[in-house]
Amino acid sequence: MKDFAGKIAVITGGGTGMGRELARQLVAEGCNVAMCDVSAEAMAETKRLCEVERLPQGLRVTTHVADVSIEDQLKRFRDEVSEQQSTDKIHLLFNNAGIGGGGSLFSNSREQWERTFNICWGGVYFGVRTFLPMLLKADQGHIVNTSSVNGFWASIGPGVSHTAYSAAKFAVKGFTEALITDLRLNAPHIKCSVVMPGHIGTSIVSNSRKVQTGNDRLTADDLAQARQRMKAAGIDTTAMSDDDIQNIAIERARAFREDAPMTAVAAAKIILDGVKAERWRILVGDDAHGLDARVRQTPERAYERDFFESVAAEIGWRIS
Ligand SMILES: NC(=O)c1ccc[n+]([C@@H]2O[C@H](COP(=O)([O-])OP(=O)(O)OC[C@H]3O[C@@H](n4cnc5c(N)ncnc54)[C@H](O)[C@@H]3O)[C@@H](O)[C@H]2O)c1
């Protein structure tokens, strides 16, 4: 798909981050956008930003509250899109919504684990199932599923358990790669891509906490885990109060957003350029390219401390 003008795009998780920037750039290219998110306020801000430049006559930007891990809510989203965009077809589907958390089978609850997995994997699977009939009706279509570097490397460092997110992102990658053939055989006018971003400066750290717990404060479990993580990194937390730990978490979320090697604006451009070039595999950021090469070079070392340390030094990661 070389041109987005006049097309209709569905974006999940359009409230902030890469979803918001995808919406803004698509609208700037004359594409109609229907987005969903769990946050109505965040989507209202995305819509306002899309409309800062006067929209071309008739272009529609619609917002819909829906949780992508609940199939019935996605079906309601689809019905609303059909009604509010006056269409029986869509051309682009960005399964972008995602959260982190629930990484350990030991220190997280099963509920937390499944919340992350069901959003990051279930959201993509239900998204494709729900919108496929509308993509089939278009003359050309493209499905863009957001995985992560955690779709080929199941870690964010040696001191952090990361099982739910990694399992989901590997699933998104495997599903999308297999979908290439399924679409070629059964619906050749629809293409698909898997997006694997490295570290992108967004509010995913605080948003994930909000989706997991209802607010962005650390729970008692989170506090215990943060202490455990700092201990593993050689930091003595015995003299630190819970408020001190909260403040460190707030600072980590800020640093994740503001000190990242790439912005969400730049990431969205790479994703859209990848779609136009019909690339099924879209790595986002020098860190993602570097990590991809390193994991292929020495897969057996990928979960050793020295691998993480040398990769982090080479690609300039300051997260752990
Ligand atoms: N930021 C990074 O470094 C990074 C790296 C690799 C992959 N990713 C992936 O990129 C995607 C976008 O993340 P982002 O960094 O822009 O984060 P973000 O938190 O800024 O945006 C994600 C959006 O999804 C929404 N959301 C969360 N749960 C939802 C649910 N159940 N239903 C509907 N909406 C929901 C959030 O409210 C938020 O608006 C995610 O899939 C994430 O896993 C991000």
Side-chain angles (χ1 to χ4, degrees):
M1 194 180 300
K2 305 278 174 252
D3 184 8
F4 302 140
K7 306 278 194 315
I8 302 178
V10 164
I11 304 172
T12 68
T16 59
M18 286 182 263
R20 169 180 287 174
E21 299 309 328
L22 285 167
R24 293 177 70 185
Q25 292 176 30
L26 284 162
V27 167
E29 294 195 33
C31 187
N32 298 282
V33 167
M35 74 189 87
C36 82
D37 204 287
V38 286
S39 168
E41 297 93 292
M43 282 191 291
E45 177 59 7
T46 300
K47 185 171 158 74
R48 188 191 68 75
L49 289 166
C50 287
E51 291 171 348
V52 166
E53 306 291 333
R54 216 163 60 87
L55 292 188
Q57 188 84 32
L59 197 74
R60 295 180 203 198
V61 180
T62 57
T63 61
H64 311 263
V65 173
D67 180 332
V68 295
S69 66
I70 302 171
E71 191 173 6
D72 282 348
Q73 294 197 13
L74 273 179
K75 286 183 176 163
R76 183 171 39 75
F77 173 37
R78 177 200 58 203
D79 294 345
E80 288 176 15
V81 171
S82 179
E83 196 190 313
Q84 294 178 30
Q85 299 265 350
S86 306
T87 185
D88 62 349
K89 60 173 86 69
I90 63 159
H91 306 88
L92 290 151
L93 172 63
F94 294 87
N95 286 307
N96 159 81
I99 64 161
S104 172
L105 291 178
F106 301 91
S107 50
N108 289 116
S109 66
R110 181 168 175 157
E111 245 180 353
Q112 287 173 320
W113 198 99
E114 291 180 1
R115 185 97 186 96
T116 295
F117 187 78
N118 291 344
I119 292 172
C120 288
W121 159 245
V124 171
Y125 172 64
F126 290 147
V128 172
R129 281 239 178 247
T130 306
F131 284 99
L132 197 53
M134 293 182 86
L135 285 158
L136 281 168
K137 291 199 176 118
D139 53 348
Q140 49 177 174
H142 203 118
I143 298 168
V144 184
N145 293 334
T146 298
S147 174
S148 163
V149 291
N150 291 137
F152 60 80
W153 181 62
S155 172
I156 42 171
V160 191
S161 300
H162 201 44
T163 63
Y165 189 83
S166 300
K169 295 299 187 180
F170 268 68
V172 171
K173 181 166 180 284
F175 172 61
T176 312
E177 292 195 18
L179 202 53
I180 296 171
T181 304
D182 199 20
L183 291 171
R184 221 173 256 160
L185 293 173
N186 297 298
H189 67 294
I190 306 175
K191 312 286 179 215
C192 64
S193 304
V194 56
V195 174
M196 292 167 284
H199 178 190
I200 312 298
T202 71
S203 301
I204 192 167
V205 175
S206 49
N207 285 341
S208 299
R209 205 165 288 136
K210 266 184 229 160
V211 172
Q212 280 281 6
T213 66
N215 66 55
D216 51 9
R217 304 275 302 163
L218 300 189
T219 61
D221 279 355
D222 295 334
L223 283 165
Q225 266 180 46
R227 285 185 189 276
Q228 193 185 32
R229 179 147 88 191
M230 285 193 252
K231 194 175 161 204
I235 303 166
D236 182 5
T237 64
T238 41
M240 292 183 193
S241 68
D242 285 353
D243 277 348
D244 293 336
I245 307 278
Q246 288 280 2
N247 289 336
I248 291 170
I250 291 167
E251 168 52 23
R252 279 187 70 237
R254 186 210 59 76
F256 186 90
R257 187 178 58 247
E258 287 167 28
D259 302 342
M262 181 173 278
T263 63
V265 175
K269 174 146 188 5
I270 289 171
I271 296 168
L272 294 179
D273 286 349
V275 172
K276 283 181 184 160
E278 289 191 359
R279 290 209 322 269
W280 69 261
R281 186 171 192 274
I282 306 176
L283 288 161
V284 185
D286 290 344
D287 54 352
H289 285 278
L291 194 53
D292 181 46
R294 289 289 300 272
V295 171
R296 282 165 200 281
Q297 249 166 33
T298 56
E300 289 289 343
R301 303 290 313 156
Y303 301 108
E304 302 306 321
R305 183 173 283 277
D306 61 338
F307 177 93
F308 175 75
E309 285 170 356
S310 75
V311 166
E314 182 186 305
I315 63 185
W317 269 358
R318 276 176 286 163
I319 49 167
S320 65

